[in-house]
């Protein structure tokens, strides 16, 4: 079971079913000892109630009580260095630091504030659809047998990745011209199979890039998120915290939504009746986004948490200091949450799924991600009503955020 450290989803063409071993754990209520890609030994829980309890109680189960990953220690990084690198990373902190930093950011990510971005998101989506359409036509014209060649696109590179990348760059204050560099680096760093030295090299490069960006914003704060933090909280926030916040939002802001857009498109193509509803029925879009979030759960598992006392979780004893991790993918298919959770059904009532986590660490950017998907899915399907697969999708494997490398489409 060790290789299934987060209850990894086996993306099979017959329904994207959970790995049988993890599903069996959920049905039995048992736990499993697993090893994370960073070398931590932890107990994995798979049921919805257990995952909510684990993520919802930062007093009994704390992120900041987890020590440095063995892989980092082996690479020569001590605990002090690990803590410095955790500064600003909200997914590795608990109160009081988490509370202080999140309070600075929450106002920028309210649903009301995010709705103001809808016109700009619509513009960005339309611009990329225009480019896709023109590029597809040019590719088709270049073929000798035009009538037998349909316009073609590679959705990940042409749409799913650049749209959220541009949105988060504008929001955060990152030059969009740098996107190739940081998207390649982030994708590589999410590969769970890379060596500890390579992971350290990538982390160092990301920190150096963001440190330079923070220094430029310190010198001339703009109207973006980094500029706001410096203008309004300069005396309350350190450069290390700004670097951590910037890197977290930059990676999370494009990686998760990008993979939802590509996987979600593939899922709808394989369920044409539900695709038609997303394309033609505006009232169906919100529910479809929530169901796709639940069904795909591109972030398979939460970060490990350390028990601060002898306790129990799901009826299982947990000793103080033990690490526990939840399979969010398994929890989101739990019959306790939804009936027949292995089936994609955009008509089901929205559920309190865990695709964005739960509790105080619930994803800060969830409102933005929802807006991007609510705009992008129907716009893509309306622009290209005859969209179809033009080759085999290339899936990511053994990665911290599940997704696609390639999705060739034609129309």
């Amino acid at each position: 079971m060790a290789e299934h450290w987060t209850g990894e989803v086996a993306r099979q063409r017959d329904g994207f079913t959970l790995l049988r071993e993890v599903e069996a754990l959920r049905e039995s209520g048992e736990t499993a000892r697993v090893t994370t890609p960073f070398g931590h030994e932890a107990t994995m829980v798979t049921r919805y109630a257990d995952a909510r309890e684990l993520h919802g109680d930062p007093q009994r189960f704390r992120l900041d009580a987890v020590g440095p990953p063995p892989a980092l220690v082996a690479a020569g990084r001590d605990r002090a260095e690990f803590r410095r690198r955790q500064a600003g990373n909200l997914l590795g902190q608990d109160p009081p630091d988490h509370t202080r930093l999140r309070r600075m950011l929450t106002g920028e990510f309210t649903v009301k504030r995010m709705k103001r971005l809808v016109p700009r998101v619509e513009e960005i989506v339309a611009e990329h659809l225009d480019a896709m359409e023109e590029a597809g036509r040019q590719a088709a014209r270049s073929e000798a047998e035009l009538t037998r060649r349909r316009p073609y696109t590679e959705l990940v590179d042409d749409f799913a990745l650049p749209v959220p990348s541009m949105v988060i760059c504008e929001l955060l204050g990152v030059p969009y011209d740098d996107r190739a560099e940081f998207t390649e680096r982030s994708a590589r760093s999410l590969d769970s199979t890379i060596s500890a030295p390579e992971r350290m090299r990538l982390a160092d490069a990301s920190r150096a890039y963001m440190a330079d960006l923070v220094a430029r914003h310190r010198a001339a704060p703009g109207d973006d998120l980094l500029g706001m933090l410096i203008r309004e909280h300069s005396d309350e926030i350190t450069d290390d915290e700004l670097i951590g916040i910037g890197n977290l939002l930059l990676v999370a802001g494009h990686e998760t939504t990008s993979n939802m857009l590509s996987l979600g498109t593939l899922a709808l193509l394989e369920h044409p009746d539900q695709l038609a509803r997303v394309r033609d029925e505006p009232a169906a879009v919100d529910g479809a986004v929530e169901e796709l979030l639940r069904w795909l759960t591109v972030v398979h598992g939460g970060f490990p948490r350390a028990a601060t006392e002898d306790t129990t979780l799901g009826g299982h004893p947990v000793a103080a200091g033990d690490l526990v991790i939840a399979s969010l993918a398994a929890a989101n298919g739990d019959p306790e949450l939804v009936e027949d959770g292995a089936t994609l059904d955009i008509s089901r009532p929205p559920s309190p799924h865990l695709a964005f986590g739960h509790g105080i660490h619930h994803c800060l950017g969830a409102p933005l991600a929802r807006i991007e998907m609510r705009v992008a899915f129907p716009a893509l399907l309306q622009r290209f009503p005859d969209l179809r697969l033009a080759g085999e999708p290339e899936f990511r494997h053994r990665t911290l955020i599940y997704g696609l490398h390639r999705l060739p489409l034609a129309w």
Side-chain angles (χ1 to χ4, degrees), residues 353-372:
H353 59 72
L354 304 177
F356 289 119
H358 175 66
I360 65 171
H361 295 95
H362 183 270
C363 178
L364 187 68
L368 176 60
R370 285 184 166 105
I371 284 170
E372 292 175 293

Side-chain angles (χ1 to χ4, degrees), residues 167-370:
V167 172
I168 196 61
C169 281
E170 292 187 3
L171 181 66
L172 190 57
V174 174
Y176 186 59
D177 289 345
D178 295 346
R179 68 192 182 281
E181 176 186 350
F182 70 70
T183 55
E184 180 181 358
R185 189 166 54 235
S186 67
R188 180 71 178 143
S189 67
L190 292 169
D191 182 346
S192 66
T193 67
I194 64 173
S195 67
E198 173 67 1
R199 191 173 297 283
M200 286 298 92
R201 186 191 69 78
L202 292 166
D204 289 343
S206 294
R207 283 187 61 82
Y209 171 79
M210 193 56 65
D212 178 69
L213 197 62
V214 166
R216 282 186 272 157
H217 279 76
R218 284 277 193 193
D223 295 329
D224 45 66
L225 187 60
L226 285 175
M228 178 279 295
L229 288 171
I230 291 168
R231 285 195 319 274
E232 299 182 13
H233 304 283
S234 183
D235 296 335
E236 306 171 63
I237 193 166
T238 67
D239 280 358
D240 278 337
E241 288 173 333
L242 286 168
I243 291 168
I245 289 171
N247 274 327
L248 172 63
L249 294 179
L250 183 59
V251 173
H254 77 270
E255 278 285 352
T256 51
T257 307
S258 168
N259 288 301
M260 276 300 306
L261 290 176
S262 57
L263 282 172
T265 299
L266 177 60
L268 291 172
L269 286 169
E270 295 190 336
H271 296 79
D273 56 331
Q274 300 188 61
L275 182 151
R277 292 195 60 203
V278 174
R279 183 189 63 217
D280 301 332
E281 301 176 26
V285 173
D286 286 5
V289 167
E290 294 306 311
E291 175 67 352
L292 286 167
L293 283 164
R294 180 202 68 80
W295 194 62
L296 291 167
T297 314
V298 296
V299 180
H300 291 160
F303 287 87
R305 288 155 163 81
T308 59
E309 60 188 61
D310 291 341
T311 185
T312 61
L313 182 62
H316 300 281
V318 180
D322 282 357
L323 303 189
V324 188
I325 192 169
S327 169
L328 301 181
N332 275 342
D334 193 331
E336 179 186 340
L337 175 66
V338 292
E339 204 175 319
D340 191 18
T343 298
L344 178 70
D345 180 4
I346 67 169
S347 66
R348 75 168 87 237
S351 62
H353 59 72
L354 304 177
F356 289 119
H358 175 66
I360 65 171
H361 295 95
H362 183 270
C363 178
L364 187 68
L368 176 60
R370 285 184 166 105

Side-chain angles (χ1 to χ4, degrees), residues 384-406:
F384 305 115
D386 296 324
L387 201 66
R388 64 171 177 82
L389 283 174
E392 282 298 312
E394 183 180 333
F395 289 89
R396 284 177 159 188
H397 297 289
R398 306 299 299 169
T399 181
L400 305 184
I401 299 177
Y402 196 77
L404 289 163
H405 288 300
R406 295 183 67 255

Side-chain angles (χ1 to χ4, degrees), residues 84-146:
R84 188 173 77 84
R85 287 170 173 271
Q86 286 289 81
N89 178 8
L90 297 177
L91 295 179
Q93 295 181 317
D94 287 302
D97 285 339
H98 178 273
T99 306
R100 173 177 59 87
L101 294 174
R102 181 134 181 165
R103 187 180 296 121
M104 297 180 194
L105 293 164
T106 298
E108 298 299 309
F109 286 92
T110 62
V111 173
K112 182 177 181 181
R113 185 71 61 90
M114 289 295 100
K115 284 183 177 178
R116 297 178 188 173
L117 293 178
V118 170
R120 181 56 184 145
V121 172
E122 291 173 339
E123 288 177 2
I124 291 171
V125 167
E127 288 167 5
H128 284 83
L129 291 176
D130 289 344
M132 279 172 53
E133 187 169 15
E134 181 57 29
R137 285 174 176 168
Q138 289 180 3
R141 291 192 190 101
S142 69
E143 296 290 332
E145 297 181 87
L146 176 60

